Amino acid sequence: MLRGIGQLRRCASITSPALRYLASKQKHTLPDLPYDYAALEPHISAEIMQLHHSKHHATYVNNLNTTEEKYAESLAKGDVTAQVALQPALRFNGGGHINHSIFWTNLSPSGGGEPTGELMQMIKRDFGSFEKLKEMMSAMSVGVQGSGWGWLGYKKDSGRLQLAACPNQDPLQGTTGLNPLLGIDVWEHAYYLQYKNVRGDYLKAIWNIINWENVEERLKAAMK
């Protein structure tokens, strides 16, 4: 009997951190947009923005919270099989939340134009010109098969800017090591109601609302 009690105590000491994490962890929440749903018109319609933010992004947040609860329970139980089985849902919903949280701040009703300062200097160094960056990033994003994202990232070990396309909701930093600076969502829910199946027209329009101040702030943070 005493031996059984000892085993229970050892199990409790192993699982209690996970149980405490489950009990104390704050849930992820849907971030507020820094502008109204109609603020990005005519480039992105209010209807798209409302559905994209309040439905699609909200679903990623809700599913991420549910998955994390299940994952914490599997940690507490030492159920490695369940932990492995939950990885795809963590990647998909966690990535969806991360990606969209960046995307909303990458856009602005007063955006567009050209970047300035160190960001512009690095764009010219690494891509030749700002127009070349736009051309290359647009072509890459249009070419994403199915659903995914086109990214401008910062590679810290080389100190250079780099383009990358990620499938589905794969987060840039978690899958490539690049620090995300600018992401373009090319899932159909981001543009189909307005641009139908002409993804290229959506890509042309989105450059008019890119928040280059936000992109430069992300670059400065990544370079620290």
Side-chain angles (χ1 to χ4, degrees):
M1 179 66 179
L2 289 175
R3 182 180 177 185
I5 292 173
Q7 288 176 330
L8 287 173
R9 286 174 176 168
R10 285 196 296 275
C11 287
S13 67
I14 293 170
T15 60
S16 57
L19 290 171
R20 287 198 298 271
Y21 170 83
L22 178 62
S24 63
K25 182 182 178 301
Q26 291 186 340
K27 291 183 179 293
H28 300 283
T29 58
L30 181 68
D32 293 332
L33 293 184
Y35 39 76
D36 294 333
Y37 286 138
L40 302 182
E41 291 185 337
H43 309 294
I44 301 179
S45 71
E47 183 181 16
I48 287 177
M49 289 300 298
Q50 181 181 13
L51 290 170
H52 198 171
H53 176 257
S54 68
K55 300 298 183 183
H56 292 280
H57 190 175
T59 298
Y60 296 127
V61 171
N62 293 336
N63 288 343
L64 176 60
N65 285 325
T66 299
T67 304
E68 285 191 341
E69 289 174 2
K70 292 179 179 178
Y71 193 79
E73 291 170 0
S74 70
L75 285 174
K77 295 175 182 177
D79 188 345
V80 177
T81 299
Q83 293 167 37
V84 172
L86 288 165
Q87 289 298 318
L90 282 172
R91 180 172 181 149
F92 183 75
N93 294 294
H97 181 38
I98 291 169
N99 294 340
H100 285 87
S101 296
I102 296 170
F103 183 60
W104 307 133
T105 62
N106 277 167
L107 305 177
S108 170
S110 59
E114 296 185 353
T116 58
E118 189 171 14
L119 174 59
M120 185 59 143
Q121 294 173 11
M122 293 176 70
I123 288 173
K124 290 179 178 178
R125 181 196 67 187
D126 295 336
F127 300 102
S129 68
F130 175 59
E131 287 303 317
K132 190 64 176 176
L133 166 68
K134 288 172 61 177
E135 177 186 328
M136 293 173 64
M137 191 168 179
S138 294
M140 177 190 68
S141 301
V142 168
V144 171
Q145 294 185 344
S147 302
W149 291 74
W151 288 99
L152 172 66
Y154 174 72
K155 191 171 180 62
K156 197 173 182 68
D157 57 0
S158 67
R160 302 187 77 88
L161 303 177
Q162 187 173 321
L163 297 178
C166 292
N168 300 314
Q169 292 295 352
D170 284 5
L172 182 70
Q173 189 166 8
T175 56
T176 70
L178 296 173
N179 291 87
L181 305 179
L182 170 63
I184 299 178
D185 187 351
V186 291
W187 279 66
E188 285 192 343
H189 63 234
Y191 63 87
Y192 195 86
L193 288 177
Q194 185 171 357
Y195 294 97
K196 302 300 185 264
N197 63 334
V198 189
R199 185 185 284 178
D201 286 352
Y202 161 67
L203 264 296
K204 290 176 185 176
I206 204 167
W207 293 107
N208 294 306
I209 48 175
I210 297 298
N211 184 352
W212 291 111
E213 290 183 5
N214 178 262
V215 178
E216 187 162 14
E217 287 171 4
R218 292 181 179 280
L219 174 62
K220 289 178 180 178
M223 294 174 70
K224 289 181 180 178

